[in-house]
């Protein structure tokens, strides 16, 4: 089926990204995966390419695009090649919407130009060792000083993508305790300078997949955060998170769809090359049926993400719609990629074959950005259950 969601500009941009991945990312990707992070120079290159400024208004050095479709193209092209740009999707798809929507004019002028150039990389820290799905249960605190000039931040976060290399981290914390009537109140976002005294990066976590992106533990011991680095209003951050999570979840859904499409392509190529019992693996009826099933699954995923993408751009994607899209695509991607790996036989288990990397990379899509169980709860609630 012809896709109608992208126009000529998106397709030209796709070609630029594809060429960039081929020449600047793919040749180094194995080494980056081994070391567990991408080099800072990649972020600089992405900044020069304009990737970080796509959705930043022109007055702060960006292109002023309001559509999420260019981000979707990046996600699709990375999945197609079986690579990632380290923590850069968190920088643009997760952190930027908060800075744009809740940042003051002074904050935008201070942060966005270096955000766009890649000199200031950002990460977002919601999850804590003791709480992930239940964000209202977070324990990290920030107490405003008596003279009101700064907050004193204490606590710990974990699983923070881009956490090793970030220059500023959007730290979600409690500026007031929860009340019996409202567990979600009292949470705020501070945009913390990672060079502050008392700010520490703990372990860089060793992951099953997404090995070229750094994921870290962070800790804060009496970190002084200037009051001017509070994002938006004090105590309102839970509603900010609720507002922005649909875009994050759609981004994950798009990635899962694109990983599945890539898996089918890899399997299709492989079964034409591999000979078993004197015949191409592609010639077995089972292979044809499995790949036909996978293709129709991918078509269905594409229809869902394309509709959701249009809805997001139109400002109509509800939290339940995004949860449904993430649930559907990520659960189905796991099945599709597993079947495509099976068609590779033992080679599918070898990391030198891209299907093995995809298999490991896709596993986390059912966990981060909210687990499948949490997605089901959101969808069920929207059904009045
Ligand atoms: C690679 C990676 C990168 C990440 N990047 C970031 C990041 O950049 N920033 C950040 O803040 N976080 C990040 N996370 C954290 C991620 O969002 C959390 O891991 C996720 O939300 C789940 O939280 P948890 O790990 O604490 O699991 P838990 O909340 O402890 O869940 C454990 C199990 O209980 C289930 N469960 C929980 N609640 C319910 C319920 N109500 N009903 C039924 N079952 C339930 C879950 O589905 C799960 O199966 C990342 C995680 C990973 C793995």
């Amino acid at each position: 089926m012809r896709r109608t969601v992208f126009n000529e500009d998106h397709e030209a941009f796709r070609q630029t990204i594809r060429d960039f991945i081929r020449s600047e990312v793919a040749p180094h990707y194995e080494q980056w995966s081994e070391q567990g992070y991408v080099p800072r120079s990649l972020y600089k290159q992405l900044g020069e390419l304009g990737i970080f400024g796509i959705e930043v208004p022109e007055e702060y050095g960006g292109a002023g695009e309001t559509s999420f479709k260019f981000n979707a193209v990046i996600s699709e092209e990375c999945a197609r090649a079986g690579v990632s740009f380290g923590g850069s999707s968190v920088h643009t798809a997760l952190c930027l919407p908060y800075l744009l929507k809740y940042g003051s004019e002074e904050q935008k002028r201070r942060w966005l130009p270096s955000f766009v150039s890649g000199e200031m990389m950002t990460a977002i820290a919601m999850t804590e060792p003791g709480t992930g799905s239940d964000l209202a249960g977070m324990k990290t605190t920030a107490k405003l000083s008596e003279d009101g000039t700064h907050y004193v931040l204490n606590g710990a976060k974990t699983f923070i993508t881009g956490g090793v290399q970030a220059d500023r981290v959007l730290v979600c914390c409690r500026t007031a305790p929860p009340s019996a009537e409202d567990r979600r109140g009292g949470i705020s976002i501070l945009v913390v300078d990672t060079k502050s005294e008392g700010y520490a990066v703990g372990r860089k976590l060793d992951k099953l997949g997404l090995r070229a992106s750094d994921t870290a533990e962070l800790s804060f011991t009496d970190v002084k955060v200037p009051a001017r680095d509070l994002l938006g209003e004090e105590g309102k951050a839970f509603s900010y998170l609720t507002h922005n999570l649909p875009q994050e979840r759609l981004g994950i859904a798009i990635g899962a769809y694109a990983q599945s499409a890539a898996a089918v392509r890899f399997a299709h190529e492989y079964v034409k090359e591999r000979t078993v019992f004197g015949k191409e693996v592609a010639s077995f009826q089972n292979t044809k049926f499995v790949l036909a099933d996978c293709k129709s699954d991918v078509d269905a995923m594409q229809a869902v993400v394309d509709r959701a993408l249009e809805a997001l751009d139109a400002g109509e994607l509800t939290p339940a719609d995004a949860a449904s899209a993430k649930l559907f695509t990520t659960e189905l991607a796991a099945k599709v990629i597993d079947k495509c790996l099976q068609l590779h036989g033992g080679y599918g288990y070898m990391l030198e074959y891209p299907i093995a990397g995809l298999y490991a990379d896709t596993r986390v899509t059912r966990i981060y950005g909210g687990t499948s169980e949490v997605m089901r709860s959101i969808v069920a609630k929207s059904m009045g259950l």
Side-chain angles (χ1 to χ4, degrees), residues 121-126 140 151-172 190-203 214-226:
M121 291 304 293
T122 57
I124 182 160
M126 298 174 268
T140 295
Y151 289 90
V152 179
L153 180 69
N154 280 287
K157 298 285 178 181
T158 193
F159 303 149
I160 308 308
T161 304
V164 176
Q165 292 180 312
D167 304 289
R168 288 262 174 183
V169 176
L170 281 66
V171 177
C172 304
L190 297 178
V191 183
V192 180
D193 183 342
T194 61
K195 287 188 284 304
S196 308
E197 203 173 314
Y199 181 103
V201 177
R203 285 184 305 152
D214 52 309
T215 303
E217 295 174 332
L218 307 177
S219 71
F220 322 111
T221 311
D222 293 333
V223 179
K224 272 189 176 178
V225 182

Side-chain angles (χ1 to χ4, degrees), residues 90 94 123-135 157-162 207 209-210 213 215 248 364 366-374 377:
V90 166
L94 268 67
I124 182 160
M126 298 174 268
T127 309
E128 301 187 353
T131 191
S133 303
D134 178 20
L135 281 177
K157 298 285 178 181
T158 193
F159 303 149
I160 308 308
T161 304
K207 303 195 296 293
L210 296 179
S213 84
T215 303
E248 174 181 356
V364 76
R366 289 187 277 156
I367 298 171
Y368 68 10
T371 64
S372 287
E373 292 70 31
V374 170
S377 304

